[in-house]
Amino acid sequence: GEGVPDVLVQLFRSGDDPQITPPLGSTVTGNRGNYLFRGLAEGAYFVHIPAAEFLTGRPLSKHLSIPGAGQDNGLDD
């Protein structure tokens, strides 16, 4: 399926709390919903989409947020 464009995506280290820790980086999804973080050291990371992206008028306003629902194994093909 095709992703959603113009969504803010933030990157955090595993164990960080997005409510109190500044993100390591952030980007906006492209027109097919894709995004990429380059130059990362080996380690465990997770991406976070801020709750504001689900508000009326934002790209995900008609979508449901389900924390921890991603199934990405973290490996590039």
Side-chain angles (χ1 to χ4, degrees), residues 42-67:
E42 187 174 330
Y45 301 90
F46 69 94
V47 294
H48 172 77
I49 298 173
E53 294 298 289
F54 294 88
L55 297 176
T56 300
R58 297 298 304 152
L60 297 175
S61 66
K62 296 182 183 191
H63 292 72
L64 178 63
S65 173
I66 303 173

Side-chain angles (χ1 to χ4, degrees), residues 9-10 13 18-20 25 28 31-32 43 53-54 59 63 66 69:
V9 179
Q10 298 174 325
R13 283 189 181 88
Q19 301 302 317
I20 59 175
V28 175
N31 56 348
R32 295 173 87 186
E53 294 298 289
F54 294 88
H63 292 72
I66 303 173

Side-chain angles (χ1 to χ4, degrees), residues 9-25:
V9 179
Q10 298 174 325
L11 180 73
F12 293 88
R13 283 189 181 88
S14 182
D16 285 353
D17 180 346
Q19 301 302 317
I20 59 175
T21 306
L24 296 172

